[in-house]
Every structure is written in C-alpha cells, then in structure tokens.
Amino acid sequence: MEISDISGGSVGYFWASNSKRISFRRRSESGYLKLNPQGQVEIQTLEESPYDSFASASTPGVPKAIFASTPAGGVLVVDVFRRASNMRWGGGKASTHSFSAHGAILGVDDEARDPRFSYTSTFMPGIQDWAGVRTIEEQRQSNASQRMQSVSIAVKSGAPQQVGLSASTTFELSWHWQVSGPADNKSVYAPVSLAIRSTRPKSYRDLMSPLHRIQDLVCLAFEGFVAADGGRAYLVAEPDPPTSPTLWDGRFMTVPVGAKVPKSMTEIPLFSLGDIGGIEGIKRWVKIYQAHPRAVRPFVSRYRLGAVSPEVQLMEVAAGMEYWVASHRRKTTWAKNKHIPLALAERVGSSFGEWVKDPEKWDTAFWETYNSIKHEAKYEPDRYMVSVMAQSGALLLASAILNRVAGNKGASKRIFRSHRTISLGEEVSEYVSHFTPKPGRKKGR
C-alpha cells in the first residue's frame, strides 16, 4: 500500500484511541480521509450516535491514534494534533467530526491495536555524497572513438552505521534500494536511509523527534528544505513484519509553505557529515539540539517555517548568541567576554576573522544594529544590510555549534571557505569597512 492510495481521498471505517490501545470491539465510525496541500492527514467522520462516539463529550482531547480500514488496506493515523466537531440537530446537513494528523502508517492490520513503535525510517535521495555512502557503482566502457559501448550499474547494500542516542534508542545510517520496471525500462531507487531503532516501545512522536533534528542538519548543509521521499515503520506488536508498512509524515515529506528548497542537490554542500565527526557527530548534534534548542533554532527554523523579516532574523540570531554564550559563562573562559558576538568569533577561530576581515568592527556593527532595532523607535535601517548582518551572525552561531559537534574547528573552516559563502563574506566585509561605530564600545573581557 502506497500513499497514492489515499492521497486523493478514500472512504473507510475508523476506530480511535485516547489510551495506549485501540479497541476494535468499539463501534467504528464511517468517514473519509485524504491528504491536504500541507501534507497533513485529514479525517472526517459521520456522527451516527452522539452517545457512543469516539469523539463524544465523554472522550475529551485529541485521540492518540486512529485506525482506518480503507478499500486499499489498513492505515494507522498518528501524531493527531487537531480535533473539531460540527453538530447539527435536524435539517439536511450531517453532524461530523474532523481530525488532522501529521503522520500515517500504510499497510498495517489489526496488530495496530497497540500504536507504539520499535523502528521508523525515512528515505532521503540526493545526500549520498554528504553522508559519505555510496549505494550505486557505475562503470562505463567506450570504444576508440570515445563512443559509449556499455554501462553497468551495481546496486548493493552494506552494514548500517549505528550510534546509540540513549539507553534504548539507536540511530542507523544505511542504504535503501529497490529496482522496478520491465527488462527494457528498469528504474533504480537508492536513497540514503535515516532510521531510529528502539529496544523499548516508543510513541510515534518520541521515535520521530531525533529524525526531525537530523533532517534539520541536512537542510542546513544544503541551505534549503531537503524533503524525505518515503519511509518505513514497525509496530512493537510486529517488530519484523513480512512486508514493511509505508511511513508518511508531512513534516518530512512536504516542503513547508514559504520555505525554500536547495538550488541543486548535486552542488557541494556547506559541510559534510565527515566534517562534523561522522556518525558520532549525529549523536552529539541531537544531544546539543535537545539540550539547547534556543541556540539551534535561530539558524534552522527558516527551513521549516519559511523566511522572516531581516529585523526578526537578526533579533533571533542575537538572542541565540546570548543564550549560547551565557550557557557556557560559568565554566569557560572564552564566554566571559562581554562582547557576545566577538566572544563567539574568537571561539570559532581565524576562519571567521578572515571572512569578515575585521571581527572586532563586525562585532560592533552587529550589536549596534541589534540594539537599534530593539530599542530605538525611530531607527530606519537599511533592510538589505540588516539581512546581510543577520545571515553572517547565523553562520557564526551555526559554525560555533557545529565545531562543538565536531570537536574541532574543521566545520567552521569548511563553512567560511565554501563557495556558498564567498559573496556574503564580501558583502559583510564591505559593509563593516564603511561602518561608523558609535563612541564608547570597546573590546572588553
């Protein structure tokens, strides 16, 4: 069963659960489900008995999961986040209940009565070089005239790279591939698989949360929302099913409204997985993201929420800098510098200084712009230059955290010497060179 079986809409019978299990002994409700343009699963059921409904007043809140029996197969709808009712008494209009959810597991059966999971994965095409893995090997042979004579393609699997995220969960970087089509029209699909495996039963949200953070890392590397293209999910009741249920999650697989996508997935990324320590770097990234979301979100949220105004972006980045430096002030010397952007710049190292040419003057320009936006009601900034300063600050904050992930300064060197950041660096250094600071701001520690 694939997402195309329900994307356009499908009728079905529905059972919901507000507890840990779905009871199929309870009366089902007839209804309809589909995907909306945002990639969310929408369900609408008919209210046939107000006193025996799974959306009645006696069962408040949104269900933990909803099982749908459709003509194409069973669907477990998970991560439900909205419920609404439209009750009508008399007349020609029916009473209905509506639900919205982020995820769906397709191709399940009544084992879904326990909607907890042991494994989830998502497939991400185009990131093989970033991840440092290769599923497809291609060999070409030409004649003396350099005309192509033959092409051979080998698709293979290898042992997954694994790292523990906690006592019960493990992240797996592996290879997924499949070959389809007739002999004269073969199609090869071989994306990288990002997966979370747990030895304990986990809710859908708990198991998917690390994958969201890892996808944010990929989006940062490619400077755009990198959508997943399918996935798998295993229920705890059937940890090794004969056929793998298909996973759909709109937050992974649908580009958010207002968010940009990478210019090209073949362009060299801002940094690679190897630059931040490989598979072990994934563990440290997830740990830092969980512990310090206020420092990470200012430079990754735009890939999920879309762009904001330059003023808002600069204020968010400055707040992230303040938080990150303050969180290290008691235990480290570098964070005692009262000039927060400069403290980060010196911590990152010479690559940032070479990029902006004068890090002390950049510190003054960044912080004065931030304070003017925040406190001066009559301040009328050059919004383009505010955007340039906000982007440079976001790169500085990102490189500082990625250096922590990597355990060295290799990530920042890669970022500030990347072809992706050359033009921005020239604009920043040009603006800083002509910036006239207000009197009184001196370097202090």
Side-chain angles (χ1 to χ4, degrees):
M1 184 177 182
E2 299 297 332
I3 192 63
S4 57
D5 294 323
I6 65 167
S7 58
S10 176
V11 296
Y13 297 105
F14 298 87
W15 293 262
S17 172
N18 288 78
S19 61
K20 292 183 178 181
R21 298 181 69 84
I22 296 175
S23 174
F24 291 101
R25 294 182 179 180
R26 190 171 185 176
R27 182 183 61 83
S28 65
E29 292 192 358
S30 302
Y32 188 81
L33 83 162
K34 66 175 182 178
L35 293 185
N36 67 18
Q38 290 73 45
Q40 298 164 350
V41 182
E42 291 187 346
I43 295 175
Q44 188 172 56
T45 63
L46 293 170
E47 176 57 275
E48 299 174 1
S49 176
Y51 302 103
D52 190 32
S53 167
F54 61 66
S56 65
S58 62
T59 56
V62 298
K64 294 184 180 298
I66 301 174
F67 182 83
S69 175
T70 75
V75 180
L76 181 64
V77 179
V78 291
D79 205 355
V80 185
F81 64 90
R82 184 182 298 125
R83 160 188 161 173
S85 298
N86 195 347
M87 305 302 294
R88 297 183 173 93
W89 304 97
K93 294 183 178 180
S95 298
T96 60
H97 300 289
S98 300
F99 305 88
S100 298
H102 290 298
I105 317 301
L106 295 84
V108 297
D109 54 25
D110 57 4
E111 293 294 340
R113 64 172 59 90
D114 186 349
R116 294 178 297 169
F117 296 84
S118 62
Y119 175 89
T120 56
S121 69
T122 58
F123 306 145
M124 302 196 74
I127 70 167
Q128 286 196 14
D129 291 336
W130 175 85
V133 301
R134 179 66 63 180
T135 307
I136 299 177
E137 293 183 357
E138 181 178 326
Q139 294 184 350
R140 302 188 179 196
Q141 292 185 352
S142 303
N143 61 17
S145 301
Q146 298 303 309
R147 292 185 177 182
M148 189 73 64
Q149 295 296 301
S150 66
V151 177
S152 62
I153 297 176
V155 185
K156 62 181 182 179
S157 297
Q161 300 178 41
Q162 299 179 329
V163 64
L165 300 182
S166 69
S168 60
T169 58
T170 301
F171 169 72
E172 294 182 358
L173 175 67
S174 60
W175 301 261
H176 173 84
W177 62 268
Q178 60 191 56
V179 179
S180 59
D184 59 349
N185 189 20
K186 288 291 185 183
S187 176
V188 179
Y189 176 64
V192 172
S193 172
L194 308 177
I196 301 292
R197 191 181 299 274
S198 177
T199 57
R200 299 177 182 176
K202 295 281 187 179
S203 71
Y204 179 80
R205 289 183 181 180
D206 288 343
L207 213 55
M208 293 296 284
S209 180
L211 287 179
H212 280 115
R213 296 184 174 104
I214 295 167
Q215 186 184 31
D216 286 345
L217 180 68
V218 176
C219 293
L220 177 64
F222 287 92
E223 296 187 300
F225 184 82
V226 181
D229 184 21
R232 298 288 185 263
Y234 299 165
L235 292 160
V236 294
E238 197 170 12
D240 189 19
T243 58
S244 299
T246 300
L247 167 66
W248 170 266
D249 191 304
R251 291 169 299 180
F252 274 100
M253 303 170 188
T254 304
V255 179
V257 176
K260 70 173 186 177
V261 298
K263 294 179 181 178
S264 171
M265 292 302 295
T266 59
E267 184 181 2
I268 298 174
L270 191 62
F271 60 90
S272 70
L273 182 59
D275 292 325
I276 61 170
I279 193 73
E280 291 290 335
I282 292 289
K283 177 180 180 179
R284 292 189 288 268
W285 165 261
V286 172
K287 184 177 180 180
I288 289 175
Y289 202 148
Q290 289 175 334
H292 304 283
R294 290 165 57 188
V296 177
R297 285 175 182 155
F299 60 83
V300 299
S301 61
R302 59 179 173 154
Y303 303 120
R304 293 196 180 276
L305 304 179
V308 296
S309 70
E311 294 86 352
V312 171
Q313 184 186 15
L314 190 142
M315 293 181 70
E316 289 179 346
V317 170
M321 289 180 177
E322 288 183 299
Y323 167 81
W324 183 248
V325 173
S327 66
H328 293 81
R329 188 161 289 147
R330 291 185 178 181
K331 297 181 179 180
T332 61
T333 302
W334 69 267
K336 298 186 186 299
N337 188 339
K338 295 181 180 179
H339 293 178
I340 291 172
L342 186 60
L344 274 181
E346 293 177 341
R347 180 64 175 174
V348 163
S350 60
S351 59
F352 179 77
E354 295 169 358
W355 191 65
V356 298
K357 302 298 188 291
D358 189 339
E360 292 185 25
K361 198 171 181 181
W362 176 87
D363 160 82
T364 302
F366 182 91
W367 211 250
E368 283 192 8
T369 304
Y370 166 57
N371 279 327
S372 297
I373 292 172
K374 187 176 181 181
H375 299 293
E376 297 178 17
K378 296 183 179 181
Y379 179 63
E380 296 182 1
D382 180 337
R383 300 187 78 234
Y384 178 75
M385 294 318 302
V386 171
S387 176
V388 168
M389 294 304 291
Q391 292 178 62
S392 64
L395 279 178
L396 174 60
L397 181 58
S399 63
I401 291 177
L402 291 177
N403 280 356
R404 169 68 69 83
V405 171
N408 55 56
K409 297 180 180 179
S412 60
K413 290 179 181 178
R414 176 71 179 270
I415 289 172
F416 293 115
R417 295 171 185 174
S418 169
H419 72 285
R420 291 174 176 262
T421 61
I422 290 176
S423 296
L424 178 61
E426 292 173 349
E427 292 174 336
V428 172
S429 59
E430 178 70 14
Y431 175 67
V432 169
S433 67
H434 293 90
F435 181 80
T436 303
K438 297 178 181 178
R441 185 168 174 84
K442 300 177 180 180
K443 182 178 179 180
R445 294 182 180 276

